[in-house]
Amino acid sequence: MITEFFYYDEIDSTNNELRRRVQSGSAMPEGTVVSAGRQTAGRGRSGHNWESPKDVSVSTSMILYPEEVPLPYIGRLTPIAAVAVSEAIEGLYGLETGIKWPNDVLIHRKKVCGILTEMEPTDDRVRYVIVGIGVNVHQREFPPEIAHMATSLDLALESVESNRTAPKDGGRKQGLQETHCRELTQAIWERFGAHYEAFLKTNDLSEVLDDYNRRLINRNEVVKVLDPQNPYEGVAECMDVAGRLLVRVSDEIRRVDSGEVSVRGIYGYV
Ligand code: BTN
């Protein structure tokens, strides 16, 4: 699905760069990708920073022009991207992934990937959408405030490998797969492209729904819905075709919209 590709050793944010290019009027085909070896001002959801130190992670963004898709449905591209990242990681490295609703990709219940979708609305449609994906690949450690909930592909591969071979020396094991940011970037956008095409036919998440819910980490677990007006607990059942999390509270099913609230497991991050 990548139509044009721009790589920077260092940039503020790959999402910012695509936005600058589109706003300056450069003609960019749908599927143009900007990737970087390091972001100096990587951005996460809810105004958080996203750490992307030099050459240890994937920072990549794609521009889309889904002109026919009504504005309220654009957010559905984010769970689609989460499925694409999961499939790419599983396909390349054989690691099992989970998804924390709505769109964090996890390995061993720790976050390995975050997704930030941004758009410019016009009336009831969009002028463009930028899907930005950050994957932790070679990190060995994380800042203390996120260390308990973050992992990288290298760390995950090492732990799988050491469980498999029950090592006594604790050293780096033979057969450990090396991870490669470029092949991962390629695989992510290839998977994303296939799901994006299907999405354009239905405007809903039906094509990825089973693959998403199979990986949903909170499934059948107690979650706390952090609704600022009325926080409550319930059991997460699944995501629906509109991207809402279905949460059972006693006999009632509540449909939780990711734009309005976030969800926490009662025992921590997931
Ligand atoms: C999150 O908070 O989980 C979302 C993180 C998204 C990070 C990616 S890295 C590539 C793109 N450029 C950015 O500045 N952010 C996104």
Side-chain angles (χ1 to χ4, degrees), residues 11-18 20 34 39-43 61:
I11 201 163
D12 55 348
S13 150
T14 52
N15 272 30
N16 291 1
E17 176 57 21
L18 275 178
R20 278 191 293 268
V34 167
Q39 294 184 121
T40 54
R43 291 183 294 106
S61 304

Side-chain angles (χ1 to χ4, degrees), residues 179-244:
T179 53
H180 298 289
C181 295
R182 281 179 197 233
E183 69 173 2
L184 179 57
T185 303
Q186 187 81 37
I188 288 170
W189 291 126
E190 210 173 283
R191 294 308 308 144
F192 179 83
H195 296 307
Y196 177 62
E197 264 184 37
F199 168 72
L200 291 180
K201 295 190 181 119
T202 61
N203 286 346
D204 69 24
L205 293 167
S206 45
E207 194 257 341
V208 292
L209 198 62
D210 289 349
D211 290 326
Y212 185 100
N213 280 326
R214 187 160 50 77
R215 296 181 173 98
L216 182 64
I217 208 94
N218 324 92
R219 199 162 197 186
N220 300 324
E221 292 188 2
V222 178
V223 293
K224 189 162 190 171
V225 179
L226 303 176
D227 182 338
Q229 315 306 329
N230 171 33
Y232 60 89
E233 283 180 13
V235 176
E237 298 216 323
C238 59
M239 184 182 72
D240 69 7
V241 289
R244 296 168 301 193

Side-chain angles (χ1 to χ4, degrees), residues 30-87:
E30 178 162 81
T32 297
V33 166
V34 167
S35 288
R38 172 171 184 245
Q39 294 184 121
T40 54
R43 291 183 294 106
R45 297 177 76 215
S46 316
H48 291 121
N49 296 331
W50 178 261
E51 291 278 332
S52 20
K54 192 169 164 23
D55 298 332
V56 295
S57 60
V58 162
S59 302
T60 186
S61 304
M62 176 178 276
I63 195 150
L64 304 166
Y65 307 108
E67 284 148 12
E68 304 295 318
V69 179
L71 186 57
Y73 304 161
I74 293 293
R76 297 175 186 176
L77 292 169
T78 323
I80 288 175
V83 170
V85 172
S86 289
E87 290 173 341

